[in-house]
Amino acid sequence: MFVPLKGSWALIFGVSSGMGKETARALADAGCNIIGVHFDLAEGQQQAERYARALGELGVEAHFFNRNVAARQARAELVPVIRDLTSGVGPRVVLHSVAYGTLTSLLPAPGGAEDEAPAVTPQQLTMTVDVMGHSLVYWVQDLVKAALLPRGAKVFAMTSAGGTRVLPGYAPVSAAKATLEAHVRHLAVELAPQGVAVNAIRAGTTITPALRKIPGSEKLIAHCQEINPGGRLTRTEDVADAIVTLSSTDSSWLTGNVIGVDGGEALVV
């Protein structure tokens, strides 16, 4: 059954760029108020503030907070704010779209000097998996504890094909995505009695700032553009439209999945 999103709230992690940014716009277009969390330096923060104002011009409330999504202090500060903004109801939509981690290999490059092509450090690996994987669990725990994840809520986590494939320099992020997908499955089962759906969205190759940072991204872009059955790369709008559509129902029966939004790319890659 279709349920209008107008007047509801969305909590978006990674709201200042890529999938999070475009999904915020699509949800705002549907009348959903936005609580955005991002982690940017001065120039990025100014851009995020301008974007929040632009969303407000669509007739919704938009409140952005520049915080480290994985920090306990951020949750301690923001959960009460979320309670106040949503009048104690909580967000109808939660999107975890966090792209902050180390891009490197697990081992030093063969024949290269350690300082030129170092292996990933324990600190880098732990940080990447914590920010891009475990932080979803931390936030869901605190939202549930505060009774801010209502029946009918939809939780989405952005994953990628790199969670099951080997891409150069992607090893720590690949581990984080695999961890994230495991968390989605377990959260889906544990939240099913409360009528809350949890799914991972696996976007096709999409040109975003995060993709540009991956070593060899230009080669990957060219290859995926050539083989995608739809004749083009995935766009952030494709992902945003899917999330809006999936959020526009009270049903929690679609849950625990990795949902491909890629025009069939994963079928032929």
Side-chain angles (χ1 to χ4, degrees):
M1 178 179 176
F2 174 78
V3 179
L5 292 171
K6 186 174 183 179
S8 61
W9 287 85
L11 174 60
I12 300 180
F13 304 110
V15 74
S16 62
S17 68
M19 309 296 184
K21 182 177 182 179
E22 186 59 33
T23 301
R25 183 207 57 78
L27 287 167
D29 275 342
C32 191
N33 302 304
I34 307 297
I35 301 170
V37 183
H38 61 102
F39 194 41
D40 290 293
L41 299 177
E43 182 179 352
Q45 184 172 355
Q46 293 173 2
Q47 291 175 352
E49 290 171 353
R50 289 195 293 270
Y51 189 58
R53 290 194 292 271
L55 293 180
E57 293 172 0
L58 298 175
V60 301
E61 292 187 50
H63 304 269
F64 284 14
F65 302 91
N66 193 19
R67 301 287 192 281
N68 176 359
V69 68
R72 183 192 303 251
Q73 184 62 30
R75 301 194 305 277
E77 292 177 4
L78 294 182
V79 168
V81 174
I82 293 166
R83 180 189 296 110
D84 291 343
L85 288 173
T86 66
S87 300
V89 175
R92 176 179 178 80
V93 182
V94 177
L95 172 61
H96 186 277
S97 180
V98 180
Y100 184 84
T102 298
L103 290 166
T104 188
S105 301
L106 297 182
L107 304 174
E114 174 68 20
D115 58 348
E116 294 177 357
V120 67
T121 67
Q123 292 83 2
Q124 290 172 329
L125 195 55
T126 298
M127 179 275 293
T128 302
V129 176
D130 198 49
V131 173
M132 299 182 71
H134 298 329
S135 64
L136 172 67
V137 175
Y138 306 150
W139 275 97
V140 170
Q141 286 174 336
D142 284 6
L143 291 171
V144 169
K145 183 178 179 180
L148 291 175
L149 206 56
R151 180 169 291 274
K154 306 292 183 290
V155 179
F156 300 100
M158 292 304 309
T159 188
S160 74
T164 56
R165 295 173 54 204
V166 175
L167 300 175
Y170 199 73
V173 177
S174 179
K177 294 300 186 182
T179 297
L180 187 67
E181 292 179 20
H183 289 332
V184 163
R185 290 190 292 271
H186 286 266
L187 287 172
V189 171
E190 294 187 33
L191 287 171
Q194 284 75 52
V196 175
V198 186
N199 289 287
I201 301 293
R202 189 199 67 239
T205 302
T206 311
I207 298 178
T208 63
L211 177 67
R212 293 290 193 189
K213 294 177 182 177
I214 299 174
S217 61
E218 291 300 328
K219 182 178 180 181
L220 176 66
I221 288 169
H223 172 70
C224 292
Q225 188 162 11
E226 180 181 353
I227 59 95
N228 192 299
R232 63 169 174 83
L233 295 177
T234 302
R235 299 169 182 152
T236 54
E237 294 90 339
D238 298 318
V239 175
D241 288 347
I243 290 174
V244 171
T245 299
L246 293 169
S247 299
S248 300
T249 173
D250 273 336
S251 173
S252 61
W253 232 240
L254 179 65
T255 192
N257 302 285
V258 176
I259 301 171
V261 182
D262 63 0
E265 178 184 305
L267 302 176
V268 297
V269 69

